[in-house]
Amino acid sequence: MSQTPMRDVDPDQMTVSDEIAIEIIRMNKWFGSFHVLRDIDLAVHRGERIVIAGPSGSGKSTLIRCINRLEEHQNGRIVVDGIELTSDIKNIDKVRSEVGMVFQHFNLFPHLTVLENCTLAPIWVRRTPRRQAEDVAMHFLEKVRIPEQAGKYPGQLSGGQQQRVAIARSLCMQPRIMLFDEPTSALDPEMIKEVLDTMIELAEDGMTMLCVTHEMGFAQAVANRVIFMDQGQIVEQNNPHDFFNNPRSERTRLFLSQILGH
Amino acid sequence: MSNPNHGPDAYLREEMLPEMPPPARETGMVKWLHENLFSGPVNAGLTVLGLLIVWFLFDHFYPWFAHSVWNASSLPECRKIIAETWGEGAGGACFAVIRERWNQYIYGFYPPGLYWRPTLVFGLLFVALAPILFSISRNIRRIVLMTAAIATLLSLVALNTPSIWLGVAVAIFAVALLVAERHQMWLLGFSAFYPLLGVWLIWGGSFWWIIMILAGMGFGWLAFIIAGRLSPLLAGSSAIVVTLLVWVFLSGDAAKDAENLYSLAITRVDSEAIGGFLLAITIGVAGITMSLPLGIVLALARRSDMFLVSSLAVIFIEFIRGVPLITLLFVAQLLLNYFLPPGTSFDIVLRVIIMVTLFAAAYMAEVIRGGLAALPAGQYEAADALGLDYWKAQRLIVLPQALKISIPGIVSTFIGMFKDTTLVAFVGLYEPLKNISDAVRANIEWKGIYWEPFIFVGAIFFIICFSMSRYSMYLERRLQRDNR
Ligand SMILES: Nc1ncnc2c1ncn2[C@@H]1O[C@H](COP(=O)(O)OP(=O)(O)OP(=O)(O)O)[C@@H](O)[C@H]1O
Ligand SMILES: [Mg+2]
């Protein structure tokens, strides 16, 4: 599954700035008495593309869901775009409208058309006039190459198309950071490519991306850092070349041999 | 066609086979009968047994219906006619009682000269409902409004409606038909005003009351705007407080003074006079329209993270569901007055409506909670991730889907509640099934008549409930198609 062909990547455009987009400091999280995330320290620069890998149950989803507060962390600090996530609802809503998220199972709204899915948040959260929101939505639907599906309902689209709509829906809020939680895991192999291509394009546009995925081809081509998690901890992080060619920890090596199948 | 990948003797179909008709056993009537009625000895036996039962019932009841008499002024006269036509000892229905007393079944003891008022209210109900129930299809909306307009206007003419009101009715229907073509959402304005108009037309009294109630809401709205400038949190509560203050301290006197200056009153009708299907439908419609929003609020409250809110909702729902409706009605009749300040009289029909609404709302809340629970967590997460706040997420994402899932349950609750309106018989109101029939039988002419009124009332209940059920199926199909 790691060998899905993708289009070539133009690395020149993917610039990373010194500005820090996300800062996580000694963050811990428990589900009841279960310690899922342990002392996470992570700084993400603007324009960085980070791939998070790790075995099932290692807390990858939980980590990125903490960044837009779908999960609440119990101690430590998370600062997104200069806003610290606390129980203050105002800050949470602000962060959520700046951070886009794409889910494994798309989570499109089945009772709304593709266009309505894309204009809902801009209209109701950003108070964009409907006309303008629709123009923006069409722009992003063109970007993910499905403008002709705008009038359909999500149930009428293929999985790959639905995931691209979900990406467009997030982009319509014009976020500065995008989180992806296994965006291709629920897709058939031939649909994975179209979604990955869309994500590569985003990366080339300079989007800050955190991406939980097992698509190691994507990680090699696009990421400038790969993070390996196990048992709620960041075990290793490195640039993709070194990460894949000479992993430092035994657990990473084991994981890579399993996932790459050799 | 040569295929380089296969050897010379590899199998390859060169031509596609044509489609062939299925064997006769597999189509049409024969197949249907075989599959559905005679697929085995047990099934065949059951089919025969079923046919026998149908025949037995038909044989028993057909003569009774066939011999029915529609033209007579009393039960003895009915019997005489039947005996003369069909011979001594023949049974037959005496539907003449319906012909003679239909007005009591429909209007109770409402003054006959004013029958046009509730009739107009009923007709306008369809205008008020059109933008809500038939918002999806312009064609169906047109048909519903047309039918309602024609039927209402014909009835109004037959009921000797004063010409001013006939004019008003024509005007409302005409405007509604026009508006419904292009701007059906404007009709929602009428839907909002309809309850006040309906109450005024049925109970009568001064129109100034209605104006003052609206004025109170107007002041509340002003307060909402002004307080909203200061803090959005203050806006809602100050609107409610101001509205209530105006209603309690100003509206009453103002309405009386205005009435003295310039009278806008129509004849008052007491609640005791309201009966028959007028009563059942009034309670039913009011209960249905109020129990749905209340049920939604209760369902959301029950799922709330806030402990106090959710426990209050649980207590309310479990208490109401644990008590028979009749108990609540007795409470409405006897106890409610103890809690009210002395001297205030609180209309019995209104009290009953409140109890029926609470009762239905508790069931509604559970039905809707089921719909909410059926929604995948991903929907909530996606709404959160996009930055929608709780209320917007509920209104735009959660409720439209949850309510759609709950349609069958919601409509069942409506139907059950509408039939339960007959229970108001126990607090002395003249609902059609028992108390009106008793009143009819109390006359010497119709003493002893029994089945015919039940059949008539049952048939009307059936028509109304069946329509609701069909509507819900239509709506489900409609929403299904949209989301395919
Ligand atoms: N809501 C929850 N309540 C309790 N435990 C949870 C909850 N969500 C996740 N967990 C547990 O936390 C751990 C980490 O879960 P998480 O979903 O972050 O793993 P993951 O790395 O994304 O795994 P996968 O690759 O299977 O998606 C798992 O052991 C999981 O069982
Ligand atoms: Mg996961």
Side-chain angles (χ1 to χ4, degrees), chain A residues 65 96 108 111 153 156, chain B residues 379 381 384 396 482 484:
Chain A
R65 287 158 62 86
R96 281 176 178 169
L108 292 175
H111 62 301
Y153 286 90
Q156 297 168 312
Chain B
Q379 294 290 309
E381 289 175 358
D384 282 347
L396 300 167
D482 283 357
R484 260 308 97 156

Side-chain angles (χ1 to χ4, degrees), chain B residues 221-452:
Chain B
W221 185 69
L222 264 182
F224 184 83
I225 300 280
I226 295 170
R229 293 255 163 82
L230 300 176
S231 130
L233 271 182
L234 221 63
S237 45
S238 57
I240 293 171
V241 170
V242 168
T243 307
L244 288 179
L245 284 180
V246 172
W247 281 351
V248 173
F249 292 108
L250 275 176
S251 287
D253 292 338
K256 268 183 209 129
D257 292 347
E259 177 64 29
N260 287 338
L261 279 177
Y262 186 81
S263 176
L264 284 178
I266 54 176
T267 319
R268 259 205 75 78
V269 178
D270 280 338
S271 278
E272 280 72 30
I274 294 170
F277 280 101
L278 169 58
L279 179 72
I281 293 177
T282 304
I283 298 174
V285 169
I288 284 173
T289 44
M290 293 191 296
S291 66
L292 183 60
L294 190 57
I296 292 175
V297 170
L298 282 172
L300 291 179
R302 185 160 187 176
R303 286 172 62 91
S304 162
D305 292 335
M306 287 178 274
F307 177 73
L308 190 68
V309 173
S310 69
S311 16
L312 282 178
V314 171
I315 293 171
F316 178 85
I317 291 170
E318 296 304 336
F319 173 74
I320 298 272
R321 284 202 308 171
V323 170
L325 177 56
I326 306 223
T327 319
L328 294 180
L329 293 176
F330 283 138
V331 170
Q333 185 188 25
L334 302 170
L335 282 179
L336 226 51
N337 269 355
Y338 289 118
F339 295 118
L340 291 169
T344 43
S345 75
F346 198 42
D347 188 85
I348 178 73
V349 174
L350 187 57
R351 278 183 270 166
V352 163
I353 286 178
I354 290 175
M355 285 307 176
V356 170
T357 302
L358 295 182
F359 190 74
Y363 282 87
M364 197 67 73
E366 288 300 280
V367 168
I368 294 171
R369 190 165 68 95
L372 291 172
L375 217 61
Q379 294 290 309
Y380 293 89
E381 289 175 358
D384 282 347
L386 285 170
L388 293 168
D389 63 34
Y390 175 82
W391 290 108
K392 282 180 191 149
Q394 297 298 330
R395 186 155 57 93
L396 300 167
I397 308 298
V398 177
L399 284 176
Q401 295 184 65
L403 290 180
K404 185 184 132 193
I405 300 173
S406 324
I407 288 172
I410 291 176
V411 175
S412 288
T413 312
F414 283 165
I415 290 176
M417 171 193 165
F418 181 60
K419 290 185 296 183
D420 280 353
T421 58
T422 48
L423 291 176
V424 302
F426 288 97
V427 294
L429 290 176
Y430 281 92
E431 52 65 55
L433 194 63
K434 177 162 192 315
N435 283 357
I436 287 283
S437 292
D438 284 353
V440 167
R441 276 194 290 268
N443 295 99
I444 187 79
E445 298 96 22
W446 301 109
K447 196 166 185 302
I449 195 143
Y450 201 72
W451 288 107
E452 292 84 347

